Amino acid sequence: MYVRVVVVTAFALAGLGFLLLTSTVVRRRPPVGGPSGVGIVGTPGGPEGEPPPAPTIAPPVPDSPAVQVNRRIFLNRAWLLAMTVFGAAFGGGFVGFMWPNKLSGFGSVITAGKKADILASIKNDKRPYYNPEGRFYIVTYPHADKGNVYVKEGLVRDGLMALYQKCAHLGCRVPFCESAQWFECPCHGSKYNTAGEVQPGSPAPAGLWRFPLSFDGDNIMVDTSKPSGQPPKGTDTLREPPAGPHCV
Ligand code: FES
């Protein structure tokens, strides 16, 4: 998008500069003598048998003040135009480079899919729905009471919550362990229950971050620009032991 803006701006400035340049009248001095302005005043022939005398050369004719002024104006405007176009292109490129234009992918609002499909996937596969593009899991969370910390923060919608895959210890991706039905980090062994709450013995100082989740018609939308609601160590709203052997 910014490239288009820069190109249009450059063309507009170029057009403006062209108008300025064409509005500048450069008066040419009248031709005098030879092409360099040096005039040959006379070449009288000598008497027969003698070499002709050297021609008399007139001194160069200086530009009139009007021509000098017009040339200076022309050069000043050409220089100004060149600098303006260069500045616009460079400035536009710099602004475009720095502009936070995150429109899709991680860091934006992501359409996870239809709610019915995601619920069916969680139920049939017995594991959270995983969205690799948004780096989040969608888990079922069976608490809706207003005193619940996640409900209060607006992170639970229709019994669903979105968890950021990033380990709270050193940031590894935390996969889901099907046998234990917990999230278990392969890097240093941190374990989180299905709600992403860190379990005792884990090096992670807190639970997994959450992403705000909302609905757009049938679709679940997850805003991956705002990780929040990280539960402190000791939080355990599920109080469920692992369902089976651990993976790490
Ligand atoms: S990064 Fe996950 S436990 Fe260290």
Side-chain angles (χ1 to χ4, degrees):
M1 177 63 188
Y2 77 88
V3 174
R4 277 191 217 154
V5 172
V6 170
V7 170
V8 169
T9 308
F11 271 105
L13 289 171
L16 181 63
F18 180 75
L19 288 176
L20 282 173
L21 289 175
T22 51
S23 69
T24 303
V25 179
V26 179
R27 293 182 199 158
R28 297 182 181 282
R29 59 189 172 186
V32 177
S36 63
V38 177
I40 299 173
V41 173
T43 55
E48 212 169 311
E50 290 182 19
T56 307
I57 299 179
V61 179
D63 289 334
S64 70
V67 169
Q68 288 179 355
V69 169
N70 280 328
R71 180 182 294 137
R72 194 179 310 129
I73 291 173
F74 177 86
L75 291 174
N76 283 346
R77 289 181 179 174
W79 173 248
L80 185 64
L81 171 67
M83 292 308 293
T84 305
V85 172
F86 175 77
F90 182 79
F94 180 75
V95 170
F97 179 74
M98 300 298 288
W99 197 264
N101 57 343
K102 199 70 183 170
L103 298 176
S104 63
F106 183 73
S108 66
V109 177
I110 289 182
T111 304
K114 293 202 181 309
K115 179 184 171 189
D117 296 341
I118 289 175
L119 283 173
S121 147
I122 294 173
K123 187 176 175 194
N124 296 337
D125 299 344
K126 295 186 174 46
R127 53 183 300 126
Y129 165 83
Y130 178 57
N131 185 299
E133 182 193 12
R135 307 178 197 173
F136 61 80
Y137 296 94
I138 293 180
V139 300
T140 53
Y141 186 70
H143 295 286
D145 52 295
K146 293 198 167 63
N148 179 280
V149 58
Y150 311 123
V151 174
K152 269 200 284 193
E153 292 184 35
L155 296 167
V156 182
R157 301 295 302 272
D158 284 6
L160 295 171
M161 216 167 23
L163 305 180
Y164 188 11
Q165 68 175 16
K166 182 178 176 182
C167 183
H169 182 221
L170 293 179
C172 289
R173 182 177 99 74
V174 185
F176 187 73
C177 174
E178 287 191 42
S179 55
Q181 290 289 297
W182 278 7
F183 294 97
E184 300 187 355
C185 183
C187 292
H188 311 98
S190 286
K191 296 179 177 61
Y192 307 85
N193 65 15
T194 321
E197 295 158 338
V198 70
Q199 298 299 299
S202 302
L208 299 177
W209 285 270
R210 281 109 237 278
F211 290 129
L213 180 150
S214 59
F215 297 102
D216 181 8
D218 294 341
N219 285 321
I220 296 179
M221 314 296 291
V222 176
D223 184 355
T224 57
S225 70
K226 297 171 187 160
S228 63
Q230 190 184 31
K233 203 161 196 167
T235 306
D236 192 349
T237 58
L238 293 182
R239 301 189 181 284
E240 289 176 353
H246 294 294
C247 296
V248 296

